[in-house]
Amino acid sequence: IELNQSTAIARYLARESGLAGKTSIEQAQVDAIVDTINDFMNLFPWTERNEAVKQKMNEDIITNNIPILLNGLSKLLGDQKWFVGDSVTWADFHWAVCSI
């Protein structure tokens, strides 16, 4: 079998290694967090060639979108150590990688 999408590969590996969530509800929560992070990352103008346009778009994202994302993720995390459940999931790793 051949998998071509990085998120599909990551979800598969997470399920196989026990990092997808312990229950089907936790798995859905993990998927929602990962998809939210991916939606946010897709806002960035990765392929824009005009540097002035790219800079303006990045500034807009930083000013208007990052606070919303961080507020939402902060509410999800609350006082917990992990986004979902009582142990690390791939949503935690995904956020760690994307937030660098």
Side-chain angles (χ1 to χ4, degrees), residues 16 18-19 26 47 53 56 67-68 73 77 95:
E16 292 296 307
L19 293 172
E26 283 189 5
T47 60
V53 170
K56 172 71 174 111
I68 295 167
L73 292 176
L77 189 57
W95 172 243

Side-chain angles (χ1 to χ4, degrees), residues 11 15 19-33 84-85 89-90:
R11 280 192 173 106
R15 284 191 303 270
L19 293 172
K22 293 179 182 175
T23 67
S24 58
I25 293 296
E26 283 189 5
Q27 290 170 5
Q29 292 172 312
V30 168
D31 285 345
I33 292 166
V84 176
T89 65
W90 81 285

Side-chain angles (χ1 to χ4, degrees), residues 13-72:
L13 293 173
R15 284 191 303 270
E16 292 296 307
S17 62
L19 293 172
K22 293 179 182 175
T23 67
S24 58
I25 293 296
E26 283 189 5
Q27 290 170 5
Q29 292 172 312
V30 168
D31 285 345
I33 292 166
V34 168
D35 291 343
T36 296
I37 294 167
N38 286 344
D39 289 347
F40 173 75
M41 295 302 290
N42 288 333
L43 294 174
F44 286 93
W46 303 107
T47 60
E48 176 59 55
R49 292 183 180 173
N50 183 317
E51 286 301 318
V53 170
K54 189 175 196 172
Q55 181 175 349
K56 172 71 174 111
M57 292 174 76
N58 282 332
E59 289 171 2
D60 182 60
I61 292 165
I62 290 167
T63 301
N64 299 312
N65 298 91
I66 286 180
I68 295 167
L69 174 75
L70 293 178
N71 186 43

